[in-house]
Amino acid sequence: MAGTKSETNRDQCGFEVKEYAGGTPWLMVEQGNSPLAILHDGFLGFDLEPGVTYEEAQALATFMNHLIAAITHTRFLT
């Protein structure tokens, strides 16, 4: 968007496998030392497709940790 001003913040992140009470795995984003303000009172997670095993979730987290360096948030300034 030409002429639009924005501000981007980023923080190192990692991915960890968590499990819901019933044992269903999901991924949680773990922020580094400079947490994004937008997530100051919570966290970001990813629900996986039904039937994904803990081992598959762990392999996915390992793959993402290898390739993803940071989480970013961009907001448009008015």
Side-chain angles (χ1 to χ4, degrees):
M1 297 169 58
T4 302
K5 293 185 180 187
S6 63
E7 173 184 84
T8 299
N9 294 296
R10 66 182 28 88
D11 185 31
Q12 292 179 336
C13 72
F15 299 88
E16 184 175 331
V17 178
K18 301 290 186 179
E19 289 181 284
Y20 289 116
T24 301
W26 59 281
L27 296 183
M28 184 175 97
V29 178
E30 292 193 327
Q31 294 190 81
N33 296 326
S34 303
L36 299 179
I38 192 171
L39 298 176
H40 75 280
D41 60 353
F43 58 85
L44 183 64
F46 296 94
D47 285 348
L48 304 174
E49 288 291 331
V52 171
T53 66
Y54 186 90
E55 291 75 20
E56 290 171 323
Q58 187 61 55
L60 177 60
T62 298
F63 183 73
M64 293 171 73
N65 283 326
H66 179 71
L67 295 178
I68 298 174
I71 186 172
T72 63
H73 174 258
T74 300
R75 69 181 184 103
F76 296 112
L77 305 173
T78 55

